[in-house]
Amino acid sequence: MSAAVASASPAAPASTARAAAVALEGLTGRIVEIEAALTNQKPALKLVGLPDTALREAQARVRSAVEHSGFEMPSRHLTVNLSPAAVPKHGSGFDLGIAVAVLGTTGSIEREAVGDAVFLGELGLDGRLRPVPGVLPAVRAAVRAGRSRIVVPAASEAEASLVDGIEVVAVPSLRALAIRYGAPLDPVDVEPVPGPPVRRERRTAADLADVVGHVEAIEALVVAAAGGHHLLMTGPPGAGKTMLATRLPGLLPDLTGDAALDATSIASLAGHGVDRVHARPPWEAPHHTASEASIIGGGSGRIRPGAVTRASGGVLFLDEAPEFSPSVLDSLRQPLESGRVSVHRAAARADFPARFQLVLAANPCPCGQWGSTDGVCTCPASARQRYLGRLSGPLLDRIDIRLHVDRVTKAELRLSRELPRTTTAAARERVLAARDRAARRLAGTPWSINAEVPGVWLRHSDQEPADSARAPLDAALERGLVTLRGHDRVLRLAWTLADLGGLDRPGRAEIGRALTMRSPGA
């Protein structure tokens, strides 16, 4: 090793060197400058700059990787500073940048060649590079910061290449990278460390044509998809609530632009392998025992995205909704309004997108038979009230469509064999046409679908329906049957019905139908 080091090191090594990495805060990131300096103190490696536990352990990983790559660690005291120091740094993705800065202090690599490159990757003890979560959002942050090159592990090349405007350099090991930056060493073939399994987009063969009966429920799905509205389905077990909910993503249009990149970045941040941009809306269906942190996001160390973020751009389905913890259900209220979620910890904060469609499914009572046409409920009235009372009023006020789904009868089954059924393809065409109409109407605004439009815009004289058309809604508000939030949500729903009907503005029929769809007895 000594001969190799002697040939790799110049006569007058520099005592300071710099490299760059990315610190992620949710889906956003900032460039972190890694400074390494040699001083005349007792030989050691000191890491400063608010690293977490995993990052502090980089000292051991970097030392072993450097020595296994054909170099020797400096024989002087080495201080590595991660700047800005006040920004929390998490995880092992800084390993590669630290190693580059260390090699720069000894002159083992050409410091000028590093330039404005950004380095991402975890080092193995043998010097091989391991992929880390969040490569895609880190690359996007590097582009926004004006960097021209990013170095990633070989397993992350496909993911990093999804972002335009930056050169991606993929290397299997620290030795290979050092050779690229001027170290006079012989190449050594190594087996690249594989990345995590790629999470394929959810593509299901489930079609609306498979649904027997439920004409009203299918139309409610179409309306929900067209306007991005939240939906609650109640009914006895076996009525088909879950079957209907699983068909909603098939009605939604493909994700494009930043929305598609955000969905893919979220998958990357969650630790899934990524090799292409995700175009289909995601689907998340957590179990009712899920904790608040798993739904909203969090964690004791690195802040991880929750189900509301993983469902952003798609559907969050809560089956057996009253069985969820009331605190979990109420934690959904803020992201339902803002479309974002902010997770705070003592030393860190992360902001995530959370613009999802919420679909709730619930039995009408603990035994599930209340209101069914072919069953007998054995629950006392207090038990029924307590059961559905777990869905709080403020949460229900944010649900646009409330639908009762009953079991299919023998007569409906017989009739379904004679009548043509709605297919997902046909329903999706209606959804796309309605969304296109809404997008043209909302051109020049920050919104593209009706569910996003704020009430102050809906109530403006230029957009508000005529007084005669609005009369049923105003009467419901006057009698306290709807809140002002509910008033605005009925208007949004009425606009979606108008878009589906090809109308320029909702009339009395659309507003009346929207009120009916929002009614708990609908």
Side-chain angles (χ1 to χ4, degrees):
M1 179 184 295
S2 300
V5 173
S7 63
S9 303
S15 60
T16 62
R18 290 179 174 84
V22 175
L24 288 175
E25 299 170 340
L27 286 191
T28 61
R30 66 166 66 189
I31 297 297
V32 170
E33 186 175 19
I34 302 173
E35 304 170 298
L38 294 173
T39 56
N40 293 322
Q41 302 176 43
K42 181 180 178 180
L45 173 59
K46 175 82 171 170
L47 188 62
V48 297
L50 210 58
D52 69 349
T53 302
L55 184 48
R56 287 189 183 280
E57 293 172 350
Q59 300 174 70
R61 291 192 298 270
V62 168
R63 181 180 297 277
S64 177
V66 165
E67 293 177 351
H68 280 83
S69 298
F71 302 97
E72 291 180 354
M73 288 292 290
S75 58
R76 299 160 64 189
H77 186 89
L78 180 63
T79 303
V80 177
N81 178 45
L82 308 177
S83 178
V87 176
K89 292 90 179 176
H90 305 283
S92 56
F94 296 87
D95 287 6
L96 182 57
I98 294 172
V100 168
V102 168
L103 293 178
T105 62
T106 63
S108 299
I109 63 174
E110 299 174 3
R111 290 183 301 160
E112 295 76 11
V114 173
D116 63 351
V118 175
F119 300 89
L120 298 175
E122 175 185 330
L123 285 172
L125 298 182
D126 58 357
R128 290 191 298 171
L129 287 179
R130 300 177 179 275
V132 293
V135 167
L136 181 57
V139 176
R140 296 174 72 188
V143 171
R144 287 192 291 267
R147 299 293 175 137
S148 63
R149 185 185 310 114
I150 190 160
V151 181
V152 298
S156 301
E157 181 176 14
E159 179 178 344
S161 300
L162 297 177
V163 182
D164 296 328
I166 192 168
E167 177 190 356
V168 175
V169 177
V171 291
S173 65
L174 178 61
R175 184 186 181 98
L177 178 63
I179 293 173
R180 181 183 178 90
Y181 283 117
L185 299 175
D186 295 327
V188 175
D189 290 334
V190 296
E191 183 70 24
V193 177
V198 173
R199 184 183 187 183
R200 296 302 176 189
E201 296 182 75
R202 184 180 185 272
R203 296 185 181 274
T204 175
D207 195 284
L208 281 176
D210 301 331
V211 178
V212 176
H214 294 312
V215 176
E216 183 183 0
I218 290 175
E219 185 61 21
L221 285 181
V222 172
V223 175
H229 303 288
H230 308 306
L231 171 66
L232 166 64
M233 292 182 286
T234 58
K241 303 184 294 294
T242 302
M243 174 188 64
L244 288 163
T246 55
R247 281 152 176 79
L248 177 58
L251 302 179
L252 300 177
D254 286 344
L255 301 176
T256 58
D258 286 342
L261 278 177
D262 282 347
T264 314
S265 297
I266 292 166
S268 170
L269 201 59
H272 301 295
V274 170
D275 61 357
R276 68 189 68 182
V277 175
H278 293 182
R280 291 303 301 150
W283 162 273
E284 286 290 325
H287 192 261
H288 60 77
T289 57
S291 66
E292 187 173 341
S294 68
I295 298 294
I296 298 301
S300 58
R302 187 175 193 153
I303 299 177
R304 297 185 177 276
V308 297
T309 297
R310 297 194 300 272
S312 190
V315 177
L316 176 64
F317 176 52
L318 302 186
D319 200 4
E320 306 293 344
E323 299 294 340
F324 281 80
S325 165
S327 64
V328 169
L329 294 172
D330 284 338
S331 69
L332 298 173
R333 289 155 51 182
Q334 183 268 333
L336 283 175
E337 286 294 319
S338 65
R340 299 196 66 80
V341 63
S342 182
V343 181
H344 292 257
R345 292 293 180 266
R349 165 185 166 172
D351 294 314
F352 297 103
R355 193 165 294 283
F356 55 90
Q357 273 188 261
L358 178 64
V359 178
L360 304 176
N363 292 333
C365 64
C367 78
Q369 301 302 324
W370 173 252
S372 67
T373 58
D374 56 355
V376 177
C377 177
T378 59
C379 304
S382 60
R384 293 196 299 269
Q385 184 177 7
R386 187 166 55 250
Y387 184 72
L388 287 181
R390 294 169 70 90
L391 303 177
S392 67
L395 175 63
L396 291 177
D397 203 29
R398 291 165 168 82
I399 305 299
D400 300 342
I401 303 173
R402 307 177 196 177
L403 181 73
H404 181 77
V405 181
D406 216 335
R407 295 190 183 103
V408 175
T409 64
K410 184 176 180 180
E412 290 173 323
L413 178 60
R414 186 185 305 113
L415 186 62
S416 69
R417 295 168 180 161
E418 303 171 1
L419 297 177
R421 299 182 189 175
T422 301
T423 65
T424 293
R428 192 165 183 261
E429 286 185 10
R430 292 181 59 204
V431 169
L432 295 178
R435 286 209 174 200
D436 181 65
R437 191 179 187 88
R440 284 187 274 112
R441 184 179 69 252
L442 298 171
T445 73
W447 321 293
S448 60
I449 58 175
N450 293 319
E452 298 174 351
V453 181
V456 64
W457 194 88
L458 290 168
R459 296 190 301 272
H460 192 275
S461 58
D462 293 341
Q463 287 79 36
E464 199 168 35
D467 291 345
S468 59
R470 208 179 58 249
L473 179 57
D474 291 343
L477 181 64
E478 181 69 22
R479 294 197 299 269
L481 299 178
V482 297
T483 63
L484 183 58
R485 179 191 288 119
H487 174 281
D488 294 341
R489 289 187 173 275
V490 170
L491 282 180
R492 293 172 183 166
L493 194 54
W495 272 108
T496 299
L497 293 170
D499 290 332
L500 284 167
L503 303 176
D504 293 333
R505 193 178 292 260
R508 192 182 184 97
E510 285 71 38
I511 291 179
R513 187 180 170 202
L515 271 170
T516 302
M517 295 181 76
R518 185 175 167 79
S519 168

